[in-house]
Amino acid sequence: GQNIDQPTEMTATEGAIVQINCTYQTSGFNGLFWYQQHAGEAPTFLSYNVLDGLEEKGRFSSFLSRSKGYSYLLLKELQMKDSASYLCAVRASGGSYIPTFGRGTSLIVHP
Amino acid sequence: GAVVSQHPSRVICKSGTSVKIECRSLDFQATTMFWYRQFPKKSLMLMATSNEGSKATYEQGVEKDKFLINHASLTLSTLTVTSAHPEDSSFYICSLLGSTDTQYFGPGTRLTVL
């Protein structure tokens, strides 16, 4: 099975930088996804990491360390609209190609 | 990416009735779609994998006679919640895999069973 752990809630200030961590334990690894989900809406894709290192996409970056079973999502220049839940999802190898989702981290950005 | 729609966006029904939720792929032919359920402040839980032209594959603990899935075409999958109970109240989301194995989600359906 898979075990995915991320903080339940985080708060940050508009304009700041925030890092949301995700640790996972899985039998085999075939990619890690980050999704953003606003309340009452479906998740939207943010990033995909399958190799170690940092993937940068605008204000959002995602990092992966496969040996440590660890990823983080970095959000820069925070805006109020970034207040949302951020879901870490891990896909195991050799089986279902569907990732398993963590519980999500609720990020609250305040002025 | 793929565009996915769901209908209705929200529905309120009485206990014991059945509710059908449609999931449409608007610009992508999807042989496989996925149905998720999400309770408040909980993770997305995969319920079943919907396969075009064949039976759906259900996850452990999901009753296939209660959650009927039909995937009759490459652009439409339906989920019918039969004999709904208040505990079935949840946010139901469908998704499909795009060409790069990225999941694209529908906007979700909020079901409230009274």
Side-chain angles (χ1 to χ4, degrees):
Chain A
Q2 295 181 51
N3 187 32
I4 301 170
D5 192 34
Q6 44 181 139
T8 305
E9 189 173 290
M10 298 181 72
T11 58
T13 306
E14 192 176 15
I17 299 173
V18 71
Q19 178 175 309
I20 302 174
N21 297 323
C22 172
T23 57
Y24 64 88
Q25 295 166 323
T26 184
S27 53
F29 175 82
N30 192 21
L32 185 144
F33 301 81
W34 282 97
Y35 285 85
Q36 180 192 61
Q37 185 178 26
H38 284 100
E41 299 180 11
T44 54
F45 171 78
L46 289 178
S47 67
Y48 172 63
N49 294 69
V50 66
L51 300 176
D52 290 350
L54 186 69
E55 295 275 345
E56 296 187 76
K57 194 185 293 185
R59 293 190 298 115
F60 293 4
S61 303
S62 58
F63 172 83
L64 174 68
S65 169
R66 289 172 295 171
S67 62
K68 295 181 180 177
Y70 168 68
S71 173
Y72 67 72
L73 180 69
L74 192 71
L75 291 78
K76 303 175 185 175
E77 301 169 20
L78 280 173
Q79 302 174 11
M80 299 296 288
K81 67 178 183 179
D82 296 330
S83 293
S85 183
Y86 291 85
L87 307 174
C88 172
V90 177
R91 183 162 61 192
S93 60
S96 172
Y97 43 84
I98 296 303
T100 299
F101 284 83
R103 287 175 175 254
T105 298
S106 177
L107 173 67
I108 301 168
V109 180
H110 54 83
Chain B
V3 179
V4 185
S5 72
Q6 275 184 246
H7 177 79
S9 58
R10 57 180 67 231
V11 57
I12 301 172
C13 70
K14 292 182 179 180
S15 188
T17 60
S18 294
V19 174
K20 180 187 283 189
I21 303 170
E22 293 184 348
C23 176
R24 290 184 186 274
S25 172
L26 300 183
D27 60 351
F28 190 83
Q29 293 191 322
T31 55
T32 306
M33 291 185 180
F34 307 93
W35 286 97
Y36 289 84
R37 180 169 51 183
Q38 186 178 35
F39 292 104
K41 299 195 175 184
K42 299 290 185 183
S43 181
L44 286 166
M45 297 301 299
L46 180 65
M47 299 175 66
T49 302
S50 169
N51 304 299
E52 188 263 338
S54 65
K55 292 182 180 179
T57 305
Y58 290 81
E59 296 299 305
Q60 193 173 10
V62 178
E63 300 174 58
K64 56 184 170 184
D65 293 333
K66 180 169 180 61
F67 298 99
L68 301 179
I69 291 173
N70 183 274
H71 193 154
S73 77
L74 291 172
T75 57
L76 175 64
S77 175
T78 61
L79 168 69
T80 301
V81 183
T82 62
S83 188
H85 287 276
E87 55 264 33
D88 298 325
S89 298
S90 187
F91 193 47
Y92 292 87
I93 309 174
C94 70
S95 77
L96 56 83
L97 284 180
S99 56
T100 55
D101 277 355
T102 300
Q103 275 187 292
Y104 295 94
F105 289 88
T109 297
R110 173 74 59 193
L111 171 64
T112 303
V113 184
L114 302 176

